[in-house]
Amino acid sequence: MAESRPLYIGPRLRRLRRELGLTQQAMADDLEISPSYVALLERNQRPVTADMLLRLARTYRLDMAQIAGDDGADYARRVSDVLRDPLFADIDLPSLEIADLAMSFPGVSEALLRLHGAYTRESQALAEQRASGPAAEENEPVREAQRFLGASRNYFHAIDLRAEELSGEIERSGGAAAWLGARGVRLRFLPPDVMVDSLRRFDRHNQQLLIDDTLSASSRAFQIATHIAHTAMRADIVAVVRAAAFAQPITATLVRRALAGYAAAAIVMPYGKFAQAAGARGYDIEALCGLFGTSFEQVAHRLTTLHRPGEERVPFFFLRVDEAGNVSKRLDGAGFPFAAHGGGCPLWSVHQVFRSPGEVRTQWLELPDGQRFFSIARTVVSGEGRHGRTKVTRAVALACAAEEAAKLVYVSGREAENAAVTPIGVTCRLCQRADCAARSVPPIGRDVLADDYRRAAQPYSFAES
């Protein structure tokens, strides 16, 4: 007869609780046990009983096999693999001690695994000499996801069509709350302390979609639409991700999240209605915000997606940066040659709008190769809604080709022909304009002129080629 061993699932139980957005007290109430017992289970100081497994599966609608996996054995195996690294070759590490560590101290085991994973990745990058140049980010998940979105011009036909259908269904149902209610899901708005640091959380046990009640109306609508996208459109999103066959699982996760956001925007701003309104209103972002109950950033983001065959609109490039110049989002539907590596040009107004928060600033841009673009930039703020919440101010910019600018409400009369343009570069390292006073580093391929007796107005003077 096989020996029956006690089952410890501490790390898995803690992970489940956090995924559900529950405190130990809330989980204890759901399972009708004490919070201290939940804490003991999570620390592997008590084994889980068959009755407790059944309660977990029934309460949170989970597969029993998914819960009952042996985390201790898995940690022991993974920790054992890590400790075979030559780095630890001179340390005596008996297998019994490793098993005891994994079973009794799962948090320490997880910390060890994370540290070794980070050490391994950095060692590999250094060995391949990728850490010192642009190639360092070539296979980085965020870059891989950005390349995928860029290659599609941020338009996904099947997802957009399905989202438009859903938008119609929701409208005919009388709104998102009624649509969700017809599917057995109750929509509730709760204060932040109840939400446990979540803006949106789905309570699977009680079939409730919980939304932070301090969010703005546009953010509430977007969070609700995102949940609908993750559930009603899951198959559509997964099909796109699987077809892409990404090199890294993390990339697939990032793209899946991006596509859910894309679908949410398409539900709130369905293609047909939005494209028609955008053209009729001259792409007036603030007017479109009022029409669709959305934020400035949401509308700007949606404007980059208007590439449906036969119903195309002005193609835009979208950029979001913080005050330090870090780029947190970049979407290209207009062929704007923004540098994937290195800083952007400080002469572009997207870096200057922080001086005039909330004000829309327009600018004509000319690249070194003569290409001209029209830019719209403004600050946006996240984190508003209640006292004490961290507010983050970023700048967003939309840019379109100069020949498309006349269709925009921001351009009047003959401005497109006579406007003063600002010469900018993709990045200083690639910009060969010798007379730029804003330059931070010399361009690639130019020798700095050695002249101890003359100081030019520009940071660098260059020898003749």
Side-chain angles (χ1 to χ4, degrees), residues 130 133-156 240 244-248 250-252 254-255 258-259 317 328-333 338-341:
R130 296 190 306 180
E137 299 175 334
E138 187 63 27
N139 295 315
E140 200 267 332
V142 173
R143 299 300 180 207
E144 189 180 10
Q146 287 176 341
R147 286 196 299 273
F148 171 76
L149 296 174
S152 67
R153 296 187 70 205
N154 197 36
Y155 177 70
F156 300 91
V240 174
F246 295 110
Q248 302 186 60
I250 297 176
T251 306
L254 293 174
V255 171
L259 292 178
F317 170 84
S328 53
K329 189 176 290 185
R330 182 176 68 245
L331 300 165
D332 191 6
F338 184 84
H341 308 282

Side-chain angles (χ1 to χ4, degrees), residues 37-105:
Y37 189 57
V38 173
L40 290 171
L41 289 171
E42 290 189 355
R43 292 199 297 268
N44 272 354
Q45 292 178 348
R46 291 288 186 279
V48 66
T49 63
D51 175 64
M52 186 56 58
L53 279 176
L54 286 170
R55 288 197 206 184
L56 284 165
R58 185 172 56 248
T59 302
Y60 300 117
R61 303 187 181 189
L62 299 171
D63 182 359
M64 184 79 75
Q66 184 181 5
I67 309 172
D70 191 347
D71 267 342
D74 181 56
Y75 270 123
R77 177 187 58 75
R78 292 167 62 196
V79 171
S80 181
D81 289 343
V82 163
L83 294 177
R84 290 194 188 99
D85 191 300
L87 181 67
F88 308 115
D90 60 340
I91 304 175
D92 184 22
L93 297 166
S95 57
L96 189 60
E97 288 186 13
I98 296 172
D100 190 43
L101 171 70
M103 184 65 70
S104 303
F105 305 100

Side-chain angles (χ1 to χ4, degrees), residues 182-218:
R183 287 150 184 81
V185 177
R186 182 185 176 194
L187 178 62
R188 297 185 65 194
F189 299 97
L190 299 173
D193 57 322
V194 179
M195 291 297 294
V196 197
D197 296 325
S198 300
L199 301 181
R200 178 190 79 250
R201 179 163 64 83
F202 182 54
D203 178 354
R204 288 185 285 187
H205 174 44
N206 296 304
Q207 289 294 290
Q208 296 182 128
L209 177 58
L210 311 177
I211 303 293
D212 185 331
D213 65 4
T214 63
L215 293 177
S216 65
S218 60

Side-chain angles (χ1 to χ4, degrees), residues 363-382:
Q363 186 181 30
W364 292 89
L365 309 172
E366 183 175 82
L367 296 172
D369 63 1
Q371 288 188 83
R372 291 191 175 189
F373 291 85
F374 181 76
S375 166
I376 307 158
R378 203 199 82 168
T379 57
V380 295
V381 180
S382 63

Side-chain angles (χ1 to χ4, degrees), residues 132-346:
S132 60
E137 299 175 334
E138 187 63 27
N139 295 315
E140 200 267 332
V142 173
R143 299 300 180 207
E144 189 180 10
Q146 287 176 341
R147 286 196 299 273
F148 171 76
L149 296 174
S152 67
R153 296 187 70 205
N154 197 36
Y155 177 70
F156 300 91
H157 190 66
I159 291 177
D160 221 306
L161 286 175
R162 176 62 183 136
E164 193 167 28
E165 291 175 5
L166 270 176
S167 180
E169 290 177 19
I170 292 168
E171 185 177 2
R172 289 190 294 274
S173 298
W179 188 90
L180 289 166
R183 287 150 184 81
V185 177
R186 182 185 176 194
L187 178 62
R188 297 185 65 194
F189 299 97
L190 299 173
D193 57 322
V194 179
M195 291 297 294
V196 197
D197 296 325
S198 300
L199 301 181
R200 178 190 79 250
R201 179 163 64 83
F202 182 54
D203 178 354
R204 288 185 285 187
H205 174 44
N206 296 304
Q207 289 294 290
Q208 296 182 128
L209 177 58
L210 311 177
I211 303 293
D212 185 331
D213 65 4
T214 63
L215 293 177
S216 65
S218 60
S219 293
R220 288 186 184 191
F222 189 81
Q223 291 300 330
I224 295 167
T226 301
H227 172 77
I228 292 173
H230 274 301
T231 52
M233 296 184 60
R234 186 172 186 81
D236 305 272
I237 292 170
V238 169
V240 174
V241 174
R242 283 179 177 167
F246 295 110
Q248 302 186 60
I250 297 176
T251 306
T253 299
L254 293 174
V255 171
R256 190 168 60 249
R257 186 170 68 181
L259 292 178
Y262 177 99
I267 290 171
V268 175
M269 296 170 276
Y271 196 102
K273 292 180 180 178
F274 185 79
Q276 183 178 14
R281 301 298 177 110
Y283 302 86
D284 186 334
I285 300 175
E286 289 162 306
L288 293 170
C289 290
L291 284 171
F292 291 90
T294 47
S295 70
F296 190 93
E297 182 176 348
Q298 289 168 356
V299 169
H301 192 294
R302 183 61 168 147
L303 284 172
T304 68
T305 68
L306 303 184
H307 309 302
R308 180 177 292 181
E311 299 178 59
E312 298 92 341
R313 295 298 189 270
V314 172
F316 286 98
F317 170 84
F318 174 94
L319 184 74
R320 188 179 70 188
V321 300
D322 62 22
E323 291 187 76
N326 300 305
V327 177
S328 53
K329 189 176 290 185
R330 182 176 68 245
L331 300 165
D332 191 6
F336 190 84
F338 184 84
H341 308 282
C345 182

